[in-house]
Amino acid sequence: MIWVKTALLSLVYFITYVAFTGNNSHEVTSEKPEGHVVDNFSIEELIAEKKADYKEAPIASLKLRSTWIYEKGAGITPEGSIRRNYSDLFSHYDSRFICWEITLEHPSYDTNRNLDFTFQLFDQAGNQVTKNKADSWIPANSEFSDHSACWGWPYPNNWSPGKYTFDVKTIVSSSSQSDDFSATIDFTMY
C-alpha cells in the first residue's frame, strides 16, 4: 500500500514539475523572467457553472481589519499554499511568490457576494512591477472575509533587494458605487 501512495505522489510531483517548467530547453538568457499571478478561485466561474446570477458586495460597507504579507512555496496546490512565511522581510535569494492578504469586516449577506480587486506592485524606485486582477468573494452569512493574491515565480532568486509596495483596490462595475476602498502593504527584500 505504501508503494502505491509513493507512486501516486511521484506522479503528482512529476506533473506539477512539468507544468511549471514548461519546455526543457536550458537556453541562457539575460532577460529577467516575467512573474506569474496566483489568486483565489473566482466566484464568477463558480456561478457561471450553476447558470445563476451573483450580487456584488457594496464597497462602502467594507472596513479593513488587517493586512498581511507572506511568502509561499511554488505552485497553486494546497501544499504550496500551506507553506506560508508571514513577515514583511524576505530573502531575495529564497523567495518565490509574495502574497498580500487582507481581512475585511462587512455586513452579513444571505448569499455569496462578488468582490474583485486590482493590485499593483511597485519597487523601491516607485516603478510599477505589475498590475493584475484578483478574483475574490464574500461568503454568505459571514461578517469577516479574507482576500489574497500572490505575484512572483515558481522558483527562487528572481527578486531584487529593496522595498516593495502592493496597492490593492476594489473593482467596481456598478456606476452606483464609488471605488474608494484601497489598502497599501509594504515589504522588503534583503
Side-chain angles (χ1 to χ4, degrees), residues 64 66-69 87-88 99-102 120-121 164-168 183-187:
L64 183 65
S66 65
T67 62
W68 302 88
I69 289 283
S87 181
D88 59 1
C99 309
W100 57 265
E101 180 179 296
I102 58 175
Q120 298 179 74
L121 177 64
Y164 292 85
T165 300
F166 276 119
D167 185 26
V168 181
T184 303
I185 310 165
D186 298 321
F187 66 95

Side-chain angles (χ1 to χ4, degrees), residues 158-175:
N158 282 294
W159 290 92
S160 297
K163 195 170 233 180
Y164 292 85
T165 300
F166 276 119
D167 185 26
V168 181
K169 294 184 178 179
T170 51
I171 296 174
V172 178
S173 62
S174 170
S175 60

Side-chain angles (χ1 to χ4, degrees), residues 61-142:
S61 67
L62 302 177
K63 294 179 184 158
L64 183 65
R65 288 301 175 211
S66 65
T67 62
W68 302 88
I69 289 283
Y70 63 91
E71 189 270 338
K72 74 178 205 67
I76 57 175
T77 62
E79 183 180 343
S81 296
I82 289 169
R83 286 179 282 181
R84 295 181 178 184
N85 172 25
Y86 285 91
S87 181
D88 59 1
L89 185 64
F90 305 98
S91 164
H92 78 280
Y93 290 114
D94 301 325
S95 295
R96 296 174 185 225
F97 290 100
I98 302 297
C99 309
W100 57 265
E101 180 179 296
I102 58 175
T103 301
L104 299 176
E105 182 179 356
H106 41 71
S108 177
Y109 303 109
D110 57 349
T111 60
N112 294 336
R113 295 290 180 114
N114 187 55
L115 184 61
D116 295 337
F117 298 89
T118 59
F119 68 93
Q120 298 179 74
L121 177 64
F122 296 96
D123 66 13
Q124 56 274 10
N127 300 315
Q128 184 183 61
V129 176
T130 188
K131 180 177 182 178
N132 286 287
K133 178 184 174 192
D135 294 328
S136 197
W137 55 291
I138 295 174
N141 304 314
S142 174

Side-chain angles (χ1 to χ4, degrees), residues 3-66:
W3 68 271
V4 172
K5 288 181 182 178
T6 304
L8 287 173
L9 287 173
S10 296
L11 179 63
V12 169
Y13 173 78
F14 177 74
I15 290 170
T16 304
Y17 175 78
V18 169
F20 281 105
T21 57
N23 67 31
N24 290 328
S25 77
H26 297 287
E27 189 176 305
V28 177
T29 177
S30 61
E31 292 180 24
K32 190 164 187 166
E34 195 172 310
H36 305 278
V37 180
V38 177
D39 66 356
N40 356 358
F41 71 88
S42 167
I43 192 173
E44 290 101 325
E45 293 170 14
L46 189 69
I47 298 297
E49 288 175 7
K50 295 183 177 182
K51 308 276 192 256
D53 292 329
Y54 62 90
K55 295 180 180 179
E56 291 196 343
I59 306 303
S61 67
L62 302 177
K63 294 179 184 158
L64 183 65
R65 288 301 175 211
S66 65

